[in-house]
Every structure is written in structure tokens, then in C-alpha cells.
Amino acid sequence: MKQRIAALILALGLTAGLAACGPKTPAPEDETLSPSPAITEAVSPTPDVTPGPDPTEGDPTVEPDVTDLPDKGTPPPADPSQDVTVSKPGDPDYVDPKPTPTPVETPAPDPVEPSDTPSIAVPAASEVYAAVAKSAGDTTANMDASSVLENFYSLSASDLEDFVLYIPEFSANIEEIFIARAKSGKAADVKTACEGRLDQLQDDAETYPATGGYVADYKLVTEGDWVLFCVCPDSAGAVKTFQDCLK
């Protein structure tokens, strides 16, 4: 049996070899070969569908669809069971959320009645002396001795608001002009000090009789807190100017 099968296979092999070696029939010369029509229809590849993970399995790597989340800027739907009626201006129960403040009236100040006494600027003692010296005659009391007041008068500068003291440059001339504005209640003390100074000048007049005559014609006057003590050629003129300056 095996021999018969081997003989058949050998015979088939020889037959196939003879057919392949035989002459080929040439194609007719006038026959043209037409190209095969191009296949224009593209074959769509079959998509590779890979099944995704089941969202119900709770995979933490799967992010939820943001389209299903509520928008934070969108107000929640109105609850019909909580229907609130908003009152408007004009309604009896309307309450203004920003009430207008009630203006507070400020009482007007009481009118100030004008004073019958006009206010007078208080002059400086130096200004009063400048005017008095021009009316005191040809006086030589033109040296400022205010810094040594206590050497001539038993007064302290702390008792005075303002003052000036003028004496001659030479002791042979017996003249003096003292103008002071005493502190409140001190005018009487200043006047007493001037009287003590007068006693000293009278002693000097006996030594220098040429000018001692002015001492006999001295003037001591007060105007409120102001005090004038003068020993000079024209003491009356000095007093008048002193009073005019304080009007």
C-alpha cells in the first residue's frame, strides 16, 4: 500500500514539472492591457473598542462628570413652600433698608450784645515814655536804668507787668521819669515805693541846688494800674501826655 502511494506522489510531481517547463503562449500583439481600476473607497479600520472601567465600581482614578455638578453661581431652585412676598415702597409694611437720618437742629448761639466800652489796646511802657519825654521839657532823664530798678526803688520786677526807668547820665542833674504798669492790686505798693524814692531825691537836691528845684515840682499820679513818677522841667506837661496815652 505504501508503495502505491509513493508512486502516485512521484507521478504527480513529474506531471507538474513538465507543465512548468512547457512553452508559454505569447499574448496577442494588438491586445492592450488595461490597468485595473483603482480602489477609491477607503476601507475604514475597525475601531478598537476597549471597554472602559465601570463607573459603578468606585475607581478613584475616574473623575466625575463636571456637567452633572451644580453651578455654584446658580441659585438653588425656589421652594414653592417658602414663597416670600417682598414689600415695595408704598406698601403699609414696607421697611426702608437704609432709613434717612433725621436732621438734628443745632441751636443758634445767643447773640452777643455789643459792649458800650470799646476795647483799648494796652500800650507798652516804652511807648508811653517816648510820648511823655517829648512833653517833659528839656529833660536830661534819657538814660535807661530799668535793669537797676531795685537799686533806686524798693520794688521787684515781678510786681510789675511792664515798666521803664530813665535817669540823667550825670548825678549832678536831679531828674527822673518812672512809668510802670503794676500787676493787679499792686498799684498802691508801687506808689509807696515812688514816695520813698522822692525822699532820696530831696536829699540829692540839697547837694546840687542848680537842678534841685525840679524836685519841688514833682508829680506822682496813677491811672488804674498805671503809675507815673516824674521829676523834670515840665512835670505838668508830662502828666497830661501820660493821661492822653491811656485814654
Side-chain angles (χ1 to χ4, degrees):
M1 183 66 180
K2 293 180 181 181
Q3 295 177 355
R4 293 181 62 183
I5 292 173
L8 286 175
I9 292 173
L10 179 59
L12 290 173
L14 293 174
T15 303
L18 292 175
C21 296
K24 295 181 181 181
T25 305
E29 297 179 359
D30 58 350
E31 185 177 356
T32 59
L33 298 176
S34 58
S36 299
I39 298 174
T40 59
E41 182 179 0
V43 178
S44 301
T46 302
D48 185 9
V49 180
T50 302
D54 189 355
T56 61
E57 294 180 359
D59 187 357
T61 61
V62 179
E63 297 181 358
D65 189 358
V66 296
T67 59
D68 297 337
L69 299 177
D71 188 1
K72 295 182 179 181
T74 305
D79 187 357
S81 62
Q82 298 180 358
D83 188 10
V84 179
T85 302
V86 180
S87 60
K88 297 179 292 183
D91 296 344
D93 58 346
Y94 174 73
V95 178
D96 190 357
K98 295 181 180 180
T100 303
T102 303
V104 178
E105 295 183 0
T106 303
D110 297 334
V112 179
E113 297 182 359
S115 176
D116 295 336
T117 304
S119 58
I120 300 175
V122 179
S126 59
E127 296 174 346
V128 178
Y129 165 77
V132 169
K134 295 178 181 179
S135 304
D138 191 12
T139 180
T140 59
N142 50 20
M143 185 179 74
D144 188 1
S146 301
S147 60
V148 291
L149 172 69
E150 296 183 7
N151 294 343
F152 297 95
Y153 295 77
S154 299
L155 285 175
S156 173
S158 60
D159 296 331
L160 308 174
E161 294 287 354
D162 192 10
F163 71 96
V164 292
L165 171 62
Y166 281 85
I167 61 176
E169 294 182 6
F170 303 100
S171 58
N173 298 327
I174 311 301
E175 298 184 40
E176 196 154 311
I177 298 177
F178 174 59
I179 299 173
R181 180 164 66 93
K183 288 187 176 180
S184 180
K186 294 290 184 178
D189 296 340
V190 174
K191 186 176 180 181
T192 301
C194 291
E195 292 173 347
R197 175 59 179 165
L198 177 61
D199 294 340
Q200 297 175 6
L201 292 177
Q202 288 175 343
D203 293 340
D204 293 340
E206 295 179 358
T207 305
Y208 304 100
T211 58
Y214 300 150
V215 176
D217 198 25
Y218 81 95
K219 295 291 186 292
L220 176 59
V221 296
T222 58
E223 291 288 336
D225 293 332
W226 288 88
V227 178
L228 168 65
F229 172 65
C230 64
V231 176
C232 56
D234 189 358
S235 57
V239 170
K240 181 178 185 306
T241 302
F242 172 75
Q243 294 173 337
D244 291 341
C245 290
L246 301 180
K247 286 183 179 179

